[in-house]
Amino acid sequence: MKTEASIPEDTKDKTQKTADGKVKKQAKRGRKPSKIDMKAKLERSRQSARECRARKKLRYQYLEEMVANREKTIITRRQELDKLKKWCEEIDAGTVPPQAVQMARQVQEEPEDDDDDLLSADE
């Protein structure tokens, strides 16, 4: 059997028995918050919430701008794809569109290393 003295201080239960035999928990140590501290804490919490909402609003604005730019790029790419499909149909029919000839000349005049520039120029 272990006695109370042999139990380390850290493992002892934080309870006390009262005179009538009931078990009572000990209060926490340290400074108790005053009403002023609670008011300051509430104000800090409100300020933090305001800042959080502002950051969230900015984040959503950034994301909406990004989505709008991507949608604009998608529309541009689809229009370009439709134009190229139309040119392919005309070539299959036996006629070469003048715009296709002009574009082919431009591609031939440019150095081969600038393939990435063609893609990035539309963005």
Side-chain angles (χ1 to χ4, degrees):
M1 262 204 270
K2 292 185 179 181
T3 62
E4 181 133 346
S6 67
I7 299 173
E9 186 67 31
D10 293 343
T11 59
K12 283 186 181 178
D13 195 13
K14 304 271 186 196
T15 59
Q16 289 182 333
K17 287 190 177 182
T18 59
D20 57 351
K22 294 183 180 177
V23 177
K24 177 182 173 186
K25 285 190 176 184
Q26 288 181 346
K28 291 184 180 179
R29 293 184 182 183
R31 188 175 67 124
K32 293 186 171 60
S34 67
K35 291 191 183 240
I36 296 172
D37 290 342
M38 290 301 290
K39 287 180 181 179
K41 184 177 178 181
L42 282 173
E43 185 55 38
R44 284 193 310 269
S45 177
R46 289 182 186 121
Q47 181 64 30
S48 176
R50 274 187 228 110
E51 292 170 0
C52 180
R53 286 190 296 269
R55 286 191 305 269
K56 184 177 180 181
K57 184 177 179 180
L58 286 173
R59 187 172 45 245
Y60 273 92
Q61 287 175 347
Y62 168 74
L63 291 173
E64 286 174 354
E65 287 176 14
M66 185 184 279
V67 167
N69 288 338
R70 296 286 165 92
E71 287 175 346
K72 184 178 174 183
T73 303
I74 289 170
I75 290 170
T76 304
R77 298 283 189 237
R78 284 194 177 143
Q79 289 172 347
E80 184 178 351
L81 181 63
D82 290 340
K83 177 180 70 172
L84 294 174
K85 282 181 180 180
K86 185 178 176 185
W87 288 0
C88 288
E89 290 172 1
E90 289 180 20
I91 290 172
D92 288 343
T95 60
V96 179
Q99 301 93 350
V101 174
Q102 183 182 6
M103 188 172 112
R105 286 187 187 140
Q106 287 177 351
V107 171
Q108 287 178 348
E109 292 172 0
E110 293 178 1
E112 292 181 24
D113 295 342
D114 290 340
D115 287 342
D116 294 335
D117 291 341
L118 291 174
L119 295 175
S120 64
D122 293 334
E123 292 178 6

